[in-house]
Amino acid sequence: MYDPTFALIYANPKFLELVRKRERLAWLLSLLMFGLYVLFILMIAFKPAILGARIFADSTITWGIPFGIGLILAAFVLTGIYVWKANGEYDRLNQEILNEIKS
């Protein structure tokens, strides 16, 4: 089934801009998160003494706990960055495309 509306959307330069910007940000944030995970795993593999060291001499909590929590929080922050951009610039571009198609 062919819908000419889709052809108009795909041919719109703003749609190509939207796709390019969204892909670039998604890849950047994904690579950043991947890098953080790899760094954490490499620290576990090659510098376990750092993550296994206690925060305070009499503490039972090691540095691995805050680093792990920080990794989880980084995922939330990066997701928040993507949502912020999606709800702002990407939604604006999307609405502009739809307005051009309707007129």
Side-chain angles (χ1 to χ4, degrees):
M1 184 160 112
Y2 175 75
D3 188 353
T5 305
F6 291 127
L8 290 172
I9 291 172
Y10 292 140
N12 191 313
K14 287 183 181 178
F15 177 74
L16 299 175
E17 176 188 356
L18 172 65
V19 169
R20 187 176 62 250
K21 285 182 175 184
R22 202 175 61 192
E23 282 182 353
R24 189 176 341 137
L25 181 64
W27 276 108
L28 175 70
L29 296 176
S30 297
L31 288 173
L32 183 58
M33 194 68 225
F34 180 73
L36 291 172
Y37 271 115
V38 168
L39 179 65
F40 186 68
I41 296 301
L42 289 175
M43 285 185 68
I44 291 170
F46 297 110
K47 298 287 185 181
I50 294 173
L51 295 177
R54 294 178 182 203
I55 294 177
F56 303 109
D58 58 342
S59 174
T60 58
I61 298 174
T62 64
W63 282 106
I65 301 296
F67 277 107
I69 292 171
L71 192 60
I72 294 168
L73 291 176
F76 282 104
V77 168
L78 294 178
T79 301
I81 291 170
Y82 183 84
V83 169
W84 176 69
K85 286 287 278 188
N87 288 339
E89 182 179 1
Y90 302 155
D91 279 355
R92 180 188 50 78
L93 275 171
N94 192 34
Q95 193 59 48
E96 288 176 11
I97 294 165
L98 293 175
N99 291 341
E100 288 178 13
I101 299 303
K102 288 178 185 177
S103 57

